[in-house]
Amino acid sequence: MTGGSVRRFAVALSAAASLAAGAASAQAPRQLAAPPPVDPAPEALPNFNGVWNVEYIPNVEQRRGSLPPFTAVGREAWDTRVMGEDPTGYCQPSGPSRVFHTPFPVQIIQAESQVSFLFEMLHMYHRVFTDGREHPVPVDKTWWGHSIGRYEGNGLIVDTVGLNDRSWLYTSGLQHSDQLHLVQVFEKTGPDTIRYTVTYDDPVFFTEPWSVTSEFTRSDYDLLEFICTENNRDLDHFITE
């Protein structure tokens, strides 16, 4: 199910719940707003501006048809993973990989010196610097790492290092170390489509780099507010043993 269809389904459920609540507590369901106008990109660059539905891939092993090329450390982490330890269930950040394979859309905002990603999921953002700077040395280990980007033809190539080991790469529980190096390629394939390819290079968890490709489509709707810490009921249902 695409991000747009998930949200339309959610609004339909909201409408049904409001009607069932009765006149005393009935409230009109929240309407999905149109996205903001698509601004022009900086001169001579492919235009990624706008709100985009990403392709939901919760189980990358199914998408690949096999597990990633694990090291012994990576395989042990996979075999002993506990689904109740999903960081996003505790309202912790998804990191710059998993967020592009969720049911929630993203808005891209381009400027000459940086590209900003605004995520509906958990109301997060991430910046990619395109002003020619290098990664700092040393680099802090954080949830989102440090990202720099460059343009090649119709593509934006994003290089990210400095990630901590606390996020998951996919909802299925795929983990990584703090040596993870991400390369993400956003290729404009049409006015309303982007081909997205992410490559994972982590010598602690994987024997070799490996990649996944998916597609973004332009959304008909704007981002919704997503406040995880408000009335978070996930924890009551988590299996942690």
Side-chain angles (χ1 to χ4, degrees):
M1 189 180 294
T2 65
S5 61
V6 167
R7 290 156 72 222
R8 285 191 290 272
F9 178 67
V11 167
L13 288 179
S14 175
S18 294
L19 291 173
S25 58
Q27 180 178 347
R30 182 174 179 183
Q31 299 299 310
L32 293 174
V38 177
D39 293 325
E43 187 175 357
L45 294 180
N47 191 348
F48 293 98
N49 283 312
V51 179
W52 300 90
N53 295 319
V54 302
E55 189 175 349
Y56 183 33
I57 304 177
N59 304 302
V60 71
E61 59 277 13
Q62 293 182 2
R63 179 60 171 262
R64 284 172 47 86
S66 64
L67 290 172
F70 285 128
T71 63
V73 172
R75 184 59 193 246
E76 173 69 13
W78 174 259
D79 289 342
T80 60
R81 71 196 187 281
V82 177
M83 299 308 295
E85 295 177 354
D86 183 344
T88 63
Y90 295 84
C91 302
Q92 294 176 329
S94 67
S97 167
R98 181 179 177 181
V99 73
F100 286 109
H101 288 146
T102 71
F104 304 103
V106 54
Q107 182 176 0
I108 302 177
I109 302 174
Q110 279 178 283
E112 286 194 22
S113 61
Q114 73 177 43
V115 177
S116 299
F117 295 90
L118 309 181
F119 302 104
E120 180 173 297
M121 181 180 182
L122 304 180
H123 220 62
M124 302 178 293
Y125 71 92
H126 184 55
R127 297 184 301 168
V128 174
F129 300 104
T130 56
D131 57 359
R133 72 181 69 188
E134 300 292 334
H135 293 302
V137 179
V139 61
D140 291 336
K141 302 290 187 178
T142 63
W143 286 95
W144 289 93
H146 185 272
S147 297
I148 55 177
R150 70 183 189 278
Y151 292 95
E152 291 186 2
N154 286 330
L156 169 65
I157 301 173
V158 177
D159 189 279
T160 301
V161 298
L163 291 156
N164 66 31
D165 61 358
R166 299 174 64 186
S167 64
W168 285 6
L169 300 181
Y170 289 90
T171 303
S172 56
L174 186 60
Q175 301 171 59
H176 62 89
S177 79
D178 64 2
Q179 299 303 304
L180 177 64
H181 175 203
L182 282 181
V183 177
Q184 296 160 293
V185 179
F186 302 82
E187 181 185 359
K188 196 71 179 298
T189 54
D192 301 318
T193 54
I194 296 172
R195 180 184 296 115
Y196 169 68
T197 300
V198 55
T199 299
Y200 305 97
D201 186 359
D202 183 345
V204 177
F205 270 61
F206 309 119
T207 59
E208 61 184 4
W210 57 280
S211 303
V212 175
T213 298
S214 58
E215 185 175 67
F216 300 174
T217 56
R218 191 175 298 280
S219 176
D220 295 329
Y221 303 102
D222 200 1
L223 304 181
L224 295 175
E225 187 176 75
F226 184 159
I227 307 301
C228 178
T229 53
E230 182 178 67
N231 197 29
N232 179 15
R233 300 183 181 183
D234 281 348
L235 297 181
D236 295 338
H237 305 284
F238 270 14
I239 300 173
T240 56
E241 296 180 357

